[in-house]
Amino acid sequence: MFKLVNKWWKYLTAKLTGSFNERADPKVQLEQAIAEAQSQHRRLKEQATNVIAGQKQAELRLNAKMGELEKLNANARQALIMASDAQKAGDAQKASQYNTAAEAIAGQLIQVEKDVESLKSMVLESTEASDQAKAAVQQNSRVLQQRIAEKSKLLSQLEQAKMQEEMNS
């Protein structure tokens, strides 16, 4: 029973589509096709913009982490220098405090270095995705321009055919 209804539905759909296509105005169909292609191009450009924005954000986060890494390196060096100076001055307690601070900073350094590495790979991936998105937009733009040129050509042919038909009748 279901197969019969399904067959009937497909037959009816094909019949209605065929009669619609017979009565449809080619000029309107061309306009609809171009409008859909332009809409698709707009959506593609929006997606590419989002991908590029993601890449820029990843780059900004990487730059911030790199700055934090440099700051932590400088702090660790300073703590070690101060620990060395305190040890030379004979102040073991201060030297111990500075060494403890340097160890804490080293722990932070390790975590920030891991973050920097993951951000580097993220930036590389997002740069690749960004390049692909730009290429896709350019390709789609070329196709859209070709379709618009083809539309103009078909419309002029359609007008010529209508004129010829009128002259014949």
Side-chain angles (χ1 to χ4, degrees):
M1 178 70 179
F2 179 72
K3 287 182 181 180
L4 181 63
V5 171
N6 194 20
K7 265 187 177 179
W8 181 82
W9 180 253
K10 286 181 181 179
Y11 174 79
L12 182 63
T13 304
K15 178 105 172 121
L16 290 175
T17 301
S19 63
F20 172 76
N21 286 339
E22 288 174 10
R23 292 182 182 88
D25 184 9
K27 189 174 183 179
V28 172
Q29 288 180 322
L30 282 173
E31 292 294 336
Q32 288 174 336
I34 294 299
E36 177 58 32
Q38 288 172 333
S39 174
Q40 178 185 1
H41 184 67
R42 244 187 326 279
R43 288 190 303 269
L44 184 63
K45 281 173 61 174
E46 289 171 4
Q47 290 172 348
T49 301
N50 290 337
V51 169
I52 292 168
Q55 176 205 8
K56 296 298 180 190
Q57 288 177 346
E59 287 175 355
L60 290 174
R61 287 197 309 266
L62 177 61
N63 289 337
K65 281 292 181 184
M66 294 293 284
E68 186 179 343
L69 185 65
E70 290 174 13
K71 182 181 168 185
L72 286 172
N73 272 327
N75 288 346
R77 270 193 300 277
Q78 186 64 31
L80 289 173
I81 290 170
M82 292 174 80
S84 176
D85 289 346
Q87 203 167 23
K88 287 178 187 174
D91 194 351
Q93 184 180 0
K94 282 256 190 211
S96 174
Q97 287 175 348
Y98 289 133
N99 280 329
T100 304
E103 289 173 8
I105 293 170
Q108 291 175 343
L109 267 171
I110 291 170
Q111 183 58 44
V112 171
E113 285 175 348
K114 287 179 185 176
D115 293 345
V116 164
E117 288 305 314
S118 69
L119 283 171
K120 281 182 182 178
S121 65
M122 186 188 312
V123 166
L124 288 174
E125 290 171 4
S126 63
T127 300
E128 188 176 310
S130 174
D131 291 342
Q132 289 174 351
K134 287 176 188 176
V137 167
Q138 288 175 345
Q139 172 66 22
N140 191 269
S141 180
R142 283 191 296 273
V143 169
L144 182 60
Q145 293 304 319
Q146 288 172 346
R147 286 183 181 172
I148 290 173
E150 186 177 327
K151 172 195 145 198
S152 298
K153 179 182 166 186
L154 289 173
L155 285 177
S156 69
Q157 288 175 352
L158 181 63
E159 290 299 320
Q160 286 177 350
K162 282 184 180 179
M163 278 194 251
Q164 187 68 34
E165 191 176 297
E166 285 177 13
M167 288 178 66
N168 289 341
S169 61

